[in-house]
Amino acid sequence: MPKHAKEMEALIEHLGKHQLKFTRQRELILDAFLKQEHITAEEMYHQLAKKDPHLGLATIYRTLNLFCEAGLAQARHFGTQTQYDNTSHKGHHDHLICTDCGKIVEFENCDIERLQEEVATRNGFTIQTHRLELYGLCSRCRH
Amino acid sequence: MPKHAKEMEALIEHLGKHQLKFTRQRELILDAFLKQEHITAEEMYHQLAKKDPHLGLATIYRTLNLFCEAGLAQARHFGTQTQYDNTSHKGHHDHLICTDCGKIVEFENCDIERLQEEVATRNGFTIQTHRLELYGLCSRCRH
DNA sequence: ATTCTTTTTGAGACGATTTATCAATTTCAA
DNA sequence: TTGAAATTGATAAATCGTCTCAAAAAGAAT
C-alpha cells in the first residue's frame, strides 16, 4: 500500500467531481507535499527541480491551490510568502507568533479544539478545518 | 478633551524617544486609524484622499508601520493584503466561515480565550492579539 | 522671526510574490 | 485511435509593499 493512499484518493475524488484530470505533475507535487508539514511554492519548486527540471513554478502554484480546494492543504500568509500547510498532519496547526522577531511556536490544544466544535455545533456548522494564530511577544522580545 | 488623547500622547512619546517629528500627516493618519478596528493601507489611502488628495500611499505605509513600532497598531497578513489592527480596540471577532456559500458568523468565546492565554503563558508569550477562523459547512450547505 | 540641520514627504521606480495568458501537449472517454 | 477538454510551461502582467531622492516641513538655536 502506497504511503499516501488516503490523500491520493481524496485528490482523485476531488478531481473526478470537478472534471479535472490526474496528471504526472499533480502526482509528483502531491508526493512531495505530503512529506512536509508546510512548504512554500518556491521551496517546492527548487526541491522538485531535481526530479523534473521542467516543472514550472506556475504549475506548482496552481496545484497547491488545487490542494487547498480539495482540503488537503491550507494556505497561510506569513511575511511576504504563502505557506501551504499539510492538513493531514493533525496537530501542530496552531501557531504562536512573535510580532517582534518572527519566531513561530507550533502547538496543539485538545481543549481548545473541543470548544471550537461546541461553538460550531451551536451555530449549525460542521468544521472541516480551522486556523488559530496567537500574536504577541516571546519571552526574549518582551524585555 | 480630544477623542484619542491617550493614543496621541503615546505616539508623541514614541516620537520624542526616537528623534522623530510630529507632522500633519501623522496626526491625520492617527485620527483616521483610531476610528477603525482594523484597516489596510489601501483603504486608508482612499479614505483620506478626500481630506488630502496629495497624501501619498508610501506615507501611509510608513506611518502605519510607525504605529506598529509605537504599539498602537499591529500588522496581520490576511489574504494578499496587510491588515493593521487597532490595538486599543479589544473586541475580538472570531469567525465561523462556510466554505460552500461563504456565510460568516462572528462569535466570541471566553473559555477559548482563557485557554489561549494559558498556552501562551506556558510558552513564554504575551498575547497582543489573535485570529481564530473555523472553516466548514453551515446547516444549509450540509443538506 | 530667521537660520540651519534633520526628518519627512510625495511621486514614481523597484523588487518580490502570485496570477493570467496562450500555444503546445496531455489526459481520458468514446 | 480519435478528438474534445483540461493542463502545462514560459513568460507577461498584476499586486503589494519598500526604496530612492529632491523638495518641503519641523523644530532647535540663534
Side-chain angles (χ1 to χ4, degrees), chain B residues 32-51:
Chain B
F33 177 68
L34 292 174
K35 287 180 187 149
Q36 333 272 333
E37 192 160 330
H38 49 75
I39 195 167
T40 66
E42 199 76 34
E43 282 166 4
M44 178 163 287
Y45 179 64
H46 289 115
Q47 197 170 302
L48 289 182
K50 299 160 197 165
K51 293 190 179 176

Side-chain angles (χ1 to χ4, degrees), chain A:
Chain A
M1 173 169 155
K3 286 152 282 183
H4 305 300
K6 207 184 81 195
E7 288 78 16
M8 182 70 80
E9 255 184 59
L11 175 62
I12 290 175
E13 187 187 333
H14 178 88
L15 295 176
K17 276 186 186 163
H18 295 80
Q19 298 162 250
L20 304 174
K21 293 175 177 174
F22 186 70
T23 65
R24 187 179 59 80
Q25 288 89 339
R26 283 174 178 164
E27 185 174 12
L28 204 61
I29 294 171
L30 181 64
D31 258 356
F33 176 69
L34 292 174
K35 287 180 188 152
Q36 332 273 331
E37 193 159 328
H38 48 75
I39 195 167
T40 66
E42 198 77 33
E43 281 166 6
M44 178 162 287
Y45 179 62
H46 288 116
Q47 196 171 302
L48 289 182
K50 298 158 198 165
K51 293 190 179 177
D52 183 344
H54 293 294
L55 220 169
L57 186 54
T59 299
I60 296 193
Y61 274 107
R62 281 187 294 236
T63 305
L64 289 173
N65 287 334
L66 169 69
F67 291 172
C68 288
E69 280 153 30
L72 295 170
Q74 197 187 344
R76 192 165 43 91
H77 301 273
F78 187 75
T80 61
Q81 293 197 214
T82 301
Q83 288 277 345
Y84 291 88
D85 292 353
N86 178 347
T87 55
S88 74
H89 277 224
K90 285 302 175 195
H92 308 297
H93 273 124
D94 298 333
H95 297 95
L96 265 163
I97 300 168
C98 180
T99 55
D100 197 46
C101 69
K103 178 182 174 186
I104 297 182
V105 175
E106 300 189 338
F107 70 90
E108 189 184 0
N109 186 301
C110 300
D111 294 333
I112 291 180
E113 312 238 329
R114 186 173 42 71
L115 288 168
Q116 287 176 359
E117 286 291 346
E118 262 180 52
V119 169
T121 303
R122 202 177 308 141
N123 288 279
F125 274 68
T126 311
I127 296 183
Q128 292 166 329
T129 181
H130 73 264
R131 183 205 308 276
L132 172 57
E133 288 163 4
L134 308 180
Y135 296 89
L137 294 174
C138 71
S139 49
R140 270 227 213 154
C141 296
R142 195 170 49 245
H143 308 302

Side-chain angles (χ1 to χ4, degrees), chain B residues 113-131:
Chain B
E113 311 239 331
R114 186 173 41 72
L115 288 169
Q116 286 175 358
E117 284 292 346
E118 263 180 50
V119 168
T121 303
R122 200 176 310 140
N123 287 279
F125 274 67
T126 311
I127 295 183
Q128 293 166 330
T129 182
H130 74 263
R131 173 170 160 205

